[in-house]
Amino acid sequence: MTTREPLPMETGAWVVDRPGPVGGPGPGPLVWEHRPLDPPGPREILVEVEACGVCRTDLHLAEGDLSPRTARRTPGHEVVGHVLAAGSEVGEFTVGDRAGVAWLARTCGRCGYCRSGRENLCPDSRYTGWDRHGGYAWHVTADARYAYRLPEGPPAEELAPLLCAGIIGYRALERAELPTGGLLGIYGFGASAHLTAQIALARGARVAVFTRSEAARRLALELGAAFAGDSYDPPPQPLDAAVLFAPVGGLVPAALTALDRGGTLAVAGIHLTDIPSLDYQRHLFQERTLRSVTANTRADGLAFLAEAARARPVVHVSRYPLRRADAALADLAADRVTGVAVLVPE
């Protein structure tokens, strides 16, 4: 192991104690604790957290929509920090490097999905903040092979959302197969959507946004969207492609109805409420396509970070002290966050 100074003996972190609603009366699902800080393994890096984005997946985990893989897990998978220590077999980072720790934490590397470039479908995949402790903490340990080298210049709170909101949005945009210059519909306009819209606009697309939040509609227009309406409003013209970010299954028929012939709807969430019955002629005929989006590959992450460095999307950040992670999740659940919430250690 390589380190420049003695490592801390313990770290502070939030854990999901009992999954349940956030923001209600009584104690919520998150509990702050101190625990021993183990040194990194041979292929791991230990990162001191500068910032951690608050993702809707964290909310699903805290509230029990996603079943916890293990008890008392620390959420958070949009982590920016500096390497405090590196294992003996790590060649990707040295102590002091800035690193990003994202959702995909490990894959087997041997199955047919991994060998064919589809490691996001690996049955043995593991995830930061779900299978292993995440970034709602002072420190996080990660497999160096699944972390990203990050530049020193940009503020940590602006880089953090790129590591999930940005990467997942990028994969969803690719899955939607938007034609050059086409009209992209975006349903829901939170952290991932406001970044994806800017990438699509930088590619020369037009964007129509559908969201129940008036503040989010204003932001969409400020960022260059051609149209911003309520969630179930009809589009100004048929959509060439669409991405559903809101975890609302009832929007699937609405989005499919809004698609032009041959259009594709990509559903970007890890959790979705039940989808109502679909009418074949109205929703799917004329070669409309409905696709899901599952995690991402490391190649997606590298490609998106390179594109983001060129396009420089504006990241609309609401900062929260790390000790107010429970308030950040409550605000996210109540749609009080415009853009993206980011936790910053005090």
Side-chain angles (χ1 to χ4, degrees), residues 56-57 59-60 63 65 187-190 212 232 244-252 267-275 332-333 335:
R56 191 163 290 274
T57 301
L59 179 62
H60 292 319
E63 294 197 317
D65 297 323
Y187 289 81
F189 203 70
R212 66 185 182 182
Y232 291 90
L244 174 60
F245 288 104
V248 181
L251 285 172
V252 170
V267 180
I270 192 173
H271 169 77
L272 191 70
T273 59
D274 290 345
I275 300 173
L332 181 62
D335 287 334

Side-chain angles (χ1 to χ4, degrees), residues 43-66:
R43 294 293 306 162
E44 293 180 331
I45 52 174
L46 174 64
V47 176
E48 184 174 29
V49 176
E50 288 183 89
C52 182
V54 178
C55 179
R56 191 163 290 274
T57 301
D58 304 332
L59 179 62
H60 292 319
L61 181 67
E63 294 197 317
D65 297 323
L66 288 181

Side-chain angles (χ1 to χ4, degrees), residues 5-81:
E5 55 189 45
L7 298 180
M9 298 296 293
E10 67 174 17
T11 192
W14 289 96
V15 298
V16 178
D17 183 31
R18 295 182 180 179
V22 302
L30 294 186
V31 173
W32 178 261
E33 70 174 20
H34 288 82
R35 61 171 178 255
L37 184 61
D38 296 325
R43 294 293 306 162
E44 293 180 331
I45 52 174
L46 174 64
V47 176
E48 184 174 29
V49 176
E50 288 183 89
C52 182
V54 178
C55 179
R56 191 163 290 274
T57 301
D58 304 332
L59 179 62
H60 292 319
L61 181 67
E63 294 197 317
D65 297 323
L66 288 181
S67 298
R69 298 278 181 88
T70 57
R72 303 184 69 79
R73 182 61 66 203
T74 296
H77 53 272
E78 298 177 325
V79 187
V80 176

Side-chain angles (χ1 to χ4, degrees), residues 243-302:
V243 179
L244 174 60
F245 288 104
V248 181
L251 285 172
V252 170
L256 288 170
T257 299
L259 284 179
D260 202 354
R261 299 180 179 206
T264 296
L265 170 63
V267 180
I270 192 173
H271 169 77
L272 191 70
T273 59
D274 290 345
I275 300 173
S277 297
L278 298 178
D279 179 273
Y280 178 70
Q281 293 291 332
R282 184 181 179 192
H283 298 128
L284 293 173
F285 193 55
Q286 302 295 353
E287 299 195 348
R288 294 175 180 87
T289 302
L290 174 61
R291 314 177 88 173
S292 65
V293 179
T294 300
N296 63 273
T297 67
R298 284 171 286 179
D300 290 330
L302 292 171

Side-chain angles (χ1 to χ4, degrees), residues 156-207:
E157 58 265 35
E158 296 181 10
L159 286 175
L162 303 183
L163 294 167
C164 179
I167 294 173
I168 292 299
Y170 170 87
R171 184 169 183 89
L173 184 58
E174 296 294 290
R175 294 277 289 168
E177 296 186 343
L178 177 67
T180 302
L183 178 61
L184 174 70
I186 293 180
Y187 289 81
F189 203 70
S192 192
H194 94 286
L195 296 173
T196 305
Q198 294 179 73
I199 295 298
L201 289 165
R203 293 180 179 184
R206 293 168 295 137
V207 173

